[in-house]
Amino acid sequence: DARVTQTPRDKVTEMGQEVTMRCQPILGHNTVFWYRQTMMQGLELLAYFRNRAPLDDSGMPKDRFSAEMPDATLATLKIQPSEPRDSAVYFCASGFGTGEAFFGQGTRLTVV
Amino acid sequence: GESVGLHLPTLSVQEGDNSIINCAYSNSASDYFIWYKQESGKGPQFIIDIRSNMDKRQGQRVTVLLNKTVKHLSLQIAATQPGDSAVYFCAENSKNDYKLSFGAGTTVTVRA
């Protein structure tokens, strides 16, 4: 059963700490998206990759967020330093870039 | 800027009735329009999509209508069931840049 896997499912951290979220896309998918979901902003596109190359990361705060794809089976989203306003659910999705993308279960981040 | 948005944030429907969820978009270059369903604590789940060269597509109990003249998309759910209670998002995707952008979401509540 192919699915997108995200870890951790939940993360509570103190302000100023580094947070790394990981995503394993569905094998064979060549496009990977990172979204942030809050009640106020809905689903915001932070960054996305095609064939592991970043296409657009204009949705991310550049000074503290970074997204990478070390290889085709792993995408990472890092926040350093974290702030309370970063508290949200972060979703990873993968697909072929046209049409639907499949979502993971998300990482719920709480920064205190 | 170009955006995808929903007309109404909430919809309450009687069990057994039909539901209609609307969405407006502004990117005339979009090639695919996709409807997602998100249940509490889960990631968005694909429901149905439609290509820009079509005006109607039917699935199991769902129909998506696309009106490119007025840039409007709708999702119709037949015989709404309690399990249809969720937040519904429309999304648009362009094969020019592979971006997948989401609207604000409509919360559907099914009354017994």
Side-chain angles (χ1 to χ4, degrees), chain B residues 42-85:
Chain B
K42 298 183 179 180
Q45 182 181 16
F46 171 83
I47 301 173
I48 191 169
D49 63 359
I50 187 168
R51 297 187 69 164
S52 59
N53 61 356
M54 302 171 64
D55 53 20
K56 182 178 180 179
R57 189 171 187 211
Q58 288 185 293
Q60 186 176 13
R61 284 202 305 119
V62 294
T63 300
V64 57
L65 299 177
L66 176 63
N67 185 331
K68 291 183 287 295
T69 302
V70 295
K71 296 180 181 176
H72 182 268
L73 184 71
S74 68
L75 177 70
Q76 300 177 3
I77 305 173
T80 311
Q81 303 170 357
D84 295 327
S85 293

Side-chain angles (χ1 to χ4, degrees), chain A residues 9 31 33 35 37 42-43 45 48 50 55-56 58 91 93 96-106 108, chain B residues 31-32 34 36 38 41-47 49 87 89 93-104:
Chain A
R9 287 296 309 275
T31 308
F33 303 87
Y35 293 88
Q37 186 173 38
L43 275 163
L45 178 61
Y48 67 106
R50 184 161 177 89
L55 286 192
D56 187 351
S58 60
F91 286 104
F96 294 109
T98 54
E100 69 175 300
F102 294 85
F103 280 75
Q105 294 285 57
R108 181 176 297 277
Chain B
D31 298 289
Y32 292 89
I34 307 146
Y36 283 88
Q38 187 177 25
K42 298 183 179 180
Q45 182 181 16
F46 171 83
I47 301 173
D49 63 359
V87 179
F89 294 92
N93 169 252
S94 169
K95 61 185 178 185
N96 289 335
D97 60 9
Y98 310 109
K99 182 179 288 188
L100 182 64
S101 300
F102 282 77

Side-chain angles (χ1 to χ4, degrees), chain A residues 8-19:
Chain A
R9 287 296 309 275
D10 286 280
K11 175 73 175 179
V12 179
T13 191
E14 292 184 345
M15 182 174 60
Q17 295 298 305
E18 178 180 298
V19 175

